[in-house]
Amino acid sequence: ESSHNGVHVALGFPMSTVPYAAFHPIFFLHHSNVDRIYEKHVQMETPEECAREFAARQRSLAEQGETNRFLQPLEPFQLNDRPLMPADTFDTARLGYVYDELPPD
């Protein structure tokens, strides 16, 4: 998360302020690239391994009092007439897209 967050901080307002960040023109490009890099990570492991890692991290945060986001629907999004869940995001083809190019190994 630190490389993701670092871009927000380096670009300053509005990217450094959560309620306003999505209004910055670079927001979509930055998040698309973060997703592309993460897709490379998923392909180097497996979607199942990534789901286990994410679930374990969320359980750890829940033990510290945070909401377990792995169990929370990604509202308002739907997949096949049901709420989209975090585990659904580890397979981009199932979501309807693939990347033309991923970062090199």
Side-chain angles (χ1 to χ4, degrees):
E1 289 185 25
S2 63
S3 57
H4 160 266
N5 295 346
V7 171
H8 282 274
V9 172
L11 290 172
F13 184 82
M15 282 286 282
S16 60
T17 308
V18 173
Y20 299 101
F23 295 103
H24 194 290
I26 202 75
F27 181 88
F28 181 77
L29 178 63
H30 169 52
H31 280 260
S32 295
N33 192 49
V34 168
D35 290 346
R36 185 180 70 90
I37 293 167
Y38 190 69
E39 176 63 14
K40 177 64 175 191
H41 172 76
V42 169
Q43 288 189 10
M44 290 172 64
E45 293 191 8
T46 66
E48 295 76 23
E49 288 173 310
C50 290
R52 279 193 302 273
E53 289 173 8
F54 184 77
R57 173 73 175 140
Q58 292 306 312
R59 276 193 305 276
S60 172
L61 291 172
E63 290 169 2
Q64 299 170 26
E66 289 194 30
T67 300
N68 186 333
R69 288 170 268 185
F70 190 73
L71 303 175
Q72 301 297 312
L74 300 171
E75 295 178 338
F77 303 104
Q78 299 279 312
L79 181 65
N80 302 324
D81 297 322
R82 65 170 179 75
L84 181 70
M85 299 298 289
D88 296 324
T89 66
F90 298 112
D91 182 355
T92 60
R94 224 174 109 213
L95 295 174
Y97 69 96
V98 294
Y99 292 94
D100 292 337
E101 185 176 322
L102 295 174
D105 288 340

